[in-house]
Amino acid sequence: MQEWDMTYDSWEPEQQLLREALCTLGNGYFATRGAFEEASAERGIHYPGTYLAGGYNRLTSEIAGKNIENEDLVNWPNWLPLTFRHPGGEWFDIRKVELIAFRQELDMRQGLLQRRLHFRDKQDRETLLVSRRFVSMANKHVTALQWELTPLNWSGAVEVAAALDGRVTNSGVERYSALQSQHLAPVQQGRHNGETIFLEVQTVQSRLVMAQAARLRAYRDSKPVDLQLEVRLEEGYAAQQFTLQLEQNKPVVMEKIVQVHTSRDQAITEPLQEACKNIERQGTFGHLLERHALAWQRLWNRCDFETSCNEKTQGILRLHIFHLLQTVSANTVGFDVGVPARGLHGEAYRGHIFWDELFIFPFLNLRLPELTRELLLYRFRRLPEARYAATQAGYRGAMFPWQSGSNGREESQVIHLNPQSGRWLPDNTFLQRHISAAVAYNVWQYYQATDDMGFMTFVGGELIFDIAQFWSSIATFNPERGRYEIRNVVGPDEYHTEYPDSDEPGLNNNAYTNVMAVWVIQVALKLFDILDDARVKELCQKLSITAEDQARWRDIAAKMYIPFIDDSGIIAQFEGYERLAEFPWEAYREKYGEAMRLDRILESEGDNVNKYKASKQADVLMLFYLFSSKELLDIFERLQYDFSPACILENIAYYEQRTSHGSTLSKIVHAWVLARSDRRKAWHSFQVALVSDVEDIQGGTTAEGIHLGAMAGTVDLVQRGFMGLEIRDEVLWLDPVLPEELGCLNFHVRYRSHWISIRLTQHTMRVSFDRSWSKEVRIGVQGQVYTFKTGEQREFTLMN
Ligand code: BGC
């Protein structure tokens, strides 16, 4: 890992699927895994995958005698295929030649993937192959690849073939292999003009159409070579083939430019006509690359994080920003999509959207707020479905699905396969009702960062009111306790979905859920003062919010029940948590290592993780991640619970010992909550979170898609966690606790229409107002508030 590049110097077949995910190229509209151009899907080695943002389809599979419908992010036709052979020989296969040199490089600055192979075949012919490709950030419908082929000790003919391959299925995750995977049906394939072929396919249920047009050219000494192209067409497949005479040491360059359009596009007549029309307008690979690299330069200008830390940390932080921006970017705006937890990089979790946005939006809010706004609109457009879900479950307001896809219905699977035991088991994680609170939290954070009153008035307010109404209706008053309770839910920790002695799914009074419910209701009450009276009236009428409802909201905000362990200040993860058995951590860690999926391990041993005080991920500790101690102490005080800052440290220590970090999100939260109390441990957790994907610490999961929450979360950990960046009371607060290991930091944030540069060393912080189109803003540094105007710059000496 270098500052701007990720490089592999040898070919390791067992690493290939992981590298494909990590070398995925995308532009927020679609993405393609970093598979070799000449390879087709082969279990365990190659999995070329192309995914369209919002490109879902449903299929029904029969499992254990039941019909189960699943919605998947579809694997679209593979546009990569390009290969060669010597006449009469086999098509090129990296495994069948002797590799003299191998180098694969992901250039994050330009968004370019390059591979350089020097190999010798069985006839002792030595050849150099250099491949380069990108998915254009400048024109979201364009992607391009280039091959430079040089015969080093031979001259002769080669046959070259390029294709668009629609005969693909969703087969990237082995656990799903019993499920139906044929999402695409061929529509048509053909030749457009002398140098272009096309392919059109349609999803079988959602009827989304994708058309791809590919133009093939070759150059010698930068001059076009006259190609005699033969076209081969089969259902769902279009290929071009030609023969070239190669001369020793004279490179030939081949360019395949591909145009992609879908029926989800705006401003088109229909995908195929657009693809064929627009491919004719595209320039050379070099020209397109230039535009693409400039688009990336503009993004990096806004989004880069420069540190003086070691190359590896710097490189990984950039890799995380890179993959985030490849999944959602300016190209996503207007496209009605959310952020899939595993990016557009693989098929894990079927491309669904979870609460991970909570970890992802803070980075975007402070750089590309127009994008977060768009991603929040994805939720807003699905409010009717969330309202319906609430009604069906017997509640009011809006209940968002734990897993969301095309139309916002609940996409969580009903049963899932434990690959460790081979058994299909009921999946009750859909009971994570806290997802709705995350939606409201994200709305509020966006509003804090932007002060976007228009959005709050017409979109955010409605979301928050409807979610508050949901929490109010799911809460029940327990007269014995004199408090409100929320029963039958699951918290963020997915190991606990029911009580060990119960047949009913769900737990009572998950502390995180209950506090979040109170917080949402408090924000909704605040909105009565923030929004104008006319709009408040309109919303109350539209959502049937009565004066009694508001009185109940106030009552809940004062009387929600929060479970504690006995008389200690330790918050119980849920009611009854204290009765669970302690888990034999030592023995299991010795056998399975640090990050464990205890749910799967214990089930395969005939045991049940529900019995133990063992969490998959941060649950109670999420509260200290999302709220400052001041905000949290205020909530507890209003609820009349005795909770002091010292309790926070006790809670962290308690749950740290009882968490297996079976989710990559977990270490982010742990690093965050320890940032101020135990810098050494915080740094360690940060380091673990940082390598979650590059080192695939969950053992095989990254190959199925990156963990976008952990990726964005690590960057946010630096930006907000270590910077102590917080927006509170109309002030942007900065209170850095920069780990020594990180050295210096240099980055920009956009806060309420201002671009602010921050330069931080271990002892000083320089804050400059670069560009802006609004008036002054207030910035608080280590407790003191300053007013900044455009062009101003101040340097602060930091007290440690
Ligand atoms: C975690 C969830 C997360 C999901 C998608 C699960 O393993 O437990 O918290 O939302 O992965 O990233």
Side-chain angles (χ1 to χ4, degrees), residues 387-422:
R387 285 183 186 129
Y388 180 74
T391 316
Q392 286 299 98
Y395 308 124
R396 294 174 64 197
M399 183 174 88
F400 280 92
W402 172 237
Q403 297 189 26
S404 187
S406 62
N407 67 356
R409 74 164 193 194
E410 179 59 78
E411 298 298 345
S412 297
Q413 52 194 349
V414 189
I415 53 173
H416 69 251
L417 179 71
N418 178 0
Q420 236 143 325
S421 68

Side-chain angles (χ1 to χ4, degrees), residues 341 349 354-356 402 492 494 616-617 663 665:
Y349 282 127
F354 297 64
W355 74 323
D356 303 48
W402 172 237
E494 299 191 332
K616 177 180 178 186
Q617 65 203 90
S663 157
L665 298 175

Side-chain angles (χ1 to χ4, degrees), residues 136-156:
S136 178
M137 199 47 107
N139 179 341
K140 66 180 176 186
H141 300 289
V142 172
T143 178
L145 66 87
Q146 186 190 63
W147 262 29
E148 188 184 286
L149 210 53
T150 314
L152 296 177
N153 64 353
W154 56 276
S155 295

Side-chain angles (χ1 to χ4, degrees), residues 381-451:
R381 294 189 193 102
R382 284 150 188 82
L383 253 179
E385 195 62 32
R387 285 183 186 129
Y388 180 74
T391 316
Q392 286 299 98
Y395 308 124
R396 294 174 64 197
M399 183 174 88
F400 280 92
W402 172 237
Q403 297 189 26
S404 187
S406 62
N407 67 356
R409 74 164 193 194
E410 179 59 78
E411 298 298 345
S412 297
Q413 52 194 349
V414 189
I415 53 173
H416 69 251
L417 179 71
N418 178 0
Q420 236 143 325
S421 68
R423 277 188 283 272
W424 287 89
L425 307 159
D427 188 339
N428 293 315
T429 52
F430 74 95
L431 283 171
Q432 290 183 73
R433 304 297 182 211
H434 63 85
I435 176 75
S436 293
V439 173
Y441 185 90
N442 289 336
V443 168
W444 186 249
Q445 289 294 314
Y446 165 78
Y447 170 66
Q448 290 299 303
T450 59
D451 202 21

Side-chain angles (χ1 to χ4, degrees), residues 281-318:
R281 299 180 182 176
Q282 303 309 338
T284 60
F285 181 90
H287 170 81
L288 293 167
L289 175 59
E290 207 176 294
R291 312 297 308 162
H292 164 71
L294 283 173
W296 266 109
Q297 193 187 76
R298 290 193 293 276
L299 276 174
W300 283 120
N301 281 346
R302 284 186 182 201
C303 301
D304 191 23
F305 251 93
E306 223 182 330
T307 85
S308 62
C309 191
N310 55 58
E311 274 196 336
K312 183 178 171 189
T313 304
Q314 171 71 76
I316 298 177
L317 281 173
R318 287 200 171 117

Side-chain angles (χ1 to χ4, degrees), residues 569 621 624 629 632-633 643-653 673:
L621 299 196
F624 314 134
S629 58
L632 205 59
L633 295 183
F643 194 74
S644 66
C647 299
I648 297 183
L649 295 180
E650 285 166 24
N651 275 272
I652 296 171
V673 301

